[in-house]
Amino acid sequence: MVKICCIGAGYVGGPTMAVIALKCPEIQVAVVDISVPRISAWNSDTLPIYEPGLDEVVKKCRGKNLFFSSDVEKHVSEADIVFVSVNTPTKTQGLGAGKAADLTYWESAARMIADVSKSNKIVVEKSTVPVKTAEAIEKILTHNSKGINFQILSNPEFLAEGTAIQDLFEPDRVLIGGRETPEGQKAIKALRDVYGHWVPMDRIICTNLWSAELSKLAANAFLAQRISSVNAMSALCEATGADVSQVSHAVGKDTRIGPKFLNASVGFGGSCFQKDILNLVYICECNGLPEVANYWKQVIKVNDYQKTRFVNRIVSSMFNTVSGKKIAILGFAFKKDTGDTRETPAIDVCKGLLGDKAMLSIYDPQVSEEQIQRDLSMNKFDWDHPVHLQPTSPSSMKQVSVVWDAYAATKDAHGICILTEWDEFKTLDYQKIYDNMQKPAFVFDGRNIVDVAKLREIGFIVYSIGKPLDEWLKDMPAVA
Ligand SMILES: NC(=O)c1ccc[n+]([C@@H]2O[C@H](COP(=O)([O-])OP(=O)(O)OC[C@H]3O[C@@H](n4cnc5c(N)ncnc54)[C@H](O)[C@@H]3O)[C@@H](O)[C@H]2O)c1
Ligand SMILES: O=c1ccn([C@@H]2O[C@H](COP(=O)(O)OP(=O)(O)O[C@H]3O[C@H](CO)[C@@H](O)[C@H](O)[C@H]3O)[C@@H](O)[C@H]2O)c(=O)[nH]1
């Protein structure tokens, strides 16, 4: 029986391994992590991450051919294939701080694999890593390898949160990079056979190691670049009276461009886009390519501009001050159908409003109060480091309250900011909400999900990203 072990039971390791276990009943899959609470949660009825469809998959396989354990060394030593899916955050200190990937967790996993292995293994990079990482990992593994053969593969993950299970069931492609030696090709075949249980062969792309590593960074950069492009257009739409949804639709109808990923928003968030582009920028700089680095840096700059622009719209619309005003924040996760808040635009928007002394009442169906407090008190780039390394929340967050209902959040509020596109925000009773708010009542829709005409009919002053401006807002400056 083939044994797989995955180091890192996070947003990628957990769902990916659960799907491999489901699709390959004859393979034994162990997911291991140094975080004991995380492993306990994977073994409980309340999984550590919220992801539609994940519960069913885990329940079908757990205890049969899918195991979650904190006995990292035992499972690694027994495995034929070891996936490494640990976090690779942005470095916060030292050389490359604020840009380069922090490979501390990866390196310690590699050292541990080298220490405990007694048989040949295929080691698979699942984490997103800088191009050429495999070379460094190979050095760690083969140094003092006691005659054991390690084959390194790069198998980056392309799932998106909120649709992880669907993405894993029907991936656009699976990418496997390996050495161009006979042993490397044999290792590629072994991993291709695992995915071959459910992924059509023509969707499994095999490349060399460096192409696979770089393709992952490139794919995220291209995706994020589309969002920054449409967000840049949204500012121009507001200035000219064009409607960004109509522009996106018209542009996306060109089959060379395509309709997906062209929704203007308050800005992209999530644990990957910013981190991976910064990493790409750093690699370009290290390779003496400042023009290429600056090109990609601009994608992040436009994203920051969009968040600042949104905050400025709110403040300038509300008579240039939100001091002491109650603002309801609807949605805190970085997108719908996840409880993940890493790099969510809500953090920057809330911090911007708090800086202007607003009183925030925050509601998100999947994010806990503790998480929100931690996020709002954290430094940039600390977010993806293990919890014990993150700053604790100060008790002085008196301007922030977290409530468990959109109606409570909006009661007596001066304004509403929609920051996550949760479906439930589309069907709220906005008349009831309006009746219970201070007047004039404002809605700032950072996701373009509300029916603007209907809300204006009720009496709201509405700002929607990239849409023709409300009369109220027309003469207000909205410079970032
Ligand atoms: N989140 C996503 O949607 C996504 C998608 C594709 C790729 N990725 C990439 O996958 C990687 C993992 O991302 P994630 O979101 O799953 O991270 P995560 O933080 O949710 O999970 C990583 C886990 O690794 C564990 N860990 C760290 N060092 C360890 C060690 N030495 N031994 C055992 N366990 C260890 C941590 O405790 C943590 O539970 C990152 O490189 C990320 O860029 C993420
Ligand atoms: O048209 C769009 C599409 C997305 N977003 C925002 O962009 C961010 C990222 O969304 P999405 O890409 O759907 O989620 P992630 O889970 O971050 O997934 C991305 O990052 C993963 C980690 O590398 C990759 O595996 C995925 O392929 C890639 O889509 C979110 O804040 C979205 O709200 C927009 O603003 N407009």
Side-chain angles (χ1 to χ4, degrees), residues 173 214-230 257 260-262 268 273 276-277 280 292 295-296 299:
R173 77 312 209 176
L214 187 54
S215 299
K216 173 64 195 176
L217 296 181
N220 274 354
F222 278 44
L223 288 167
Q225 183 264 353
R226 277 174 81 93
I227 303 170
S228 279
S229 295
V230 76
I257 297 172
K260 293 184 185 166
F261 247 70
L262 286 178
F268 61 73
F273 283 171
D276 294 348
I277 293 176
L280 187 64
V292 185
Y295 174 75
W296 290 113
V299 171

Side-chain angles (χ1 to χ4, degrees), residues 313-360:
R313 274 282 183 214
I314 298 169
V315 179
S316 69
S317 312
M318 297 175 84
F319 314 102
N320 237 11
T321 177
V322 288
S323 178
K325 292 177 184 165
K326 177 174 173 181
I327 311 276
I329 304 291
L330 299 188
F332 199 82
F334 80 97
K335 63 188 279 198
K336 74 170 182 176
D337 291 339
T338 179
D340 195 352
T341 60
R342 292 178 290 179
E343 278 297 320
T344 175
I347 295 177
D348 292 301
V349 171
C350 288
K351 282 187 174 173
L353 294 172
L354 289 171
D356 217 291
K357 300 208 177 95
M359 307 297 290
L360 303 183

Side-chain angles (χ1 to χ4, degrees), residues 266-333:
V266 59
F268 61 73
S271 67
C272 296
F273 283 171
Q274 173 162 303
K275 159 175 89 70
D276 294 348
I277 293 176
L278 286 171
N279 184 357
L280 187 64
V281 165
Y282 184 69
I283 296 168
C284 293
E285 285 171 353
C286 292
N287 280 283
L289 301 168
E291 287 79 6
V292 185
N294 287 337
Y295 174 75
W296 290 113
K297 217 184 274 177
Q298 198 60 25
V299 171
I300 294 177
K301 281 192 181 164
V302 169
N303 199 47
D304 287 339
Y305 165 75
Q306 189 75 346
K307 291 180 274 190
T308 311
R309 211 167 70 76
F310 190 76
V311 173
N312 289 354
R313 274 282 183 214
I314 298 169
V315 179
S316 69
S317 312
M318 297 175 84
F319 314 102
N320 237 11
T321 177
V322 288
S323 178
K325 292 177 184 165
K326 177 174 173 181
I327 311 276
I329 304 291
L330 299 188
F332 199 82

Side-chain angles (χ1 to χ4, degrees), residues 7-13 32-35 38 72 85-88 105 108-109 112 126-129 157-161 216 271-272 275-276 340 342 384:
I7 305 176
Y11 285 88
V12 170
V32 297
D33 203 293
I34 39 173
S35 164
R38 210 161 206 189
V72 181
S85 185
V86 299
N87 32 345
T88 50
Y105 311 106
S108 79
M112 185 268 299
K126 197 48 146 170
S127 305
T128 304
V129 290
E157 184 49 58
F158 295 101
L159 67 79
E161 288 176 32
K216 173 64 195 176
S271 67
C272 296
K275 159 175 89 70
D276 294 348
D340 195 352
R342 292 178 290 179
D384 203 14

Side-chain angles (χ1 to χ4, degrees), residues 1 22-23 59 73 87 156 168 208 296 324 364-365 438 453 459:
M1 184 187 229
L22 181 77
K23 300 290 186 181
K59 276 181 193 146
E73 298 186 359
N87 32 345
L168 289 164
N208 74 26
W296 290 113
D364 187 289
Q438 309 272 351

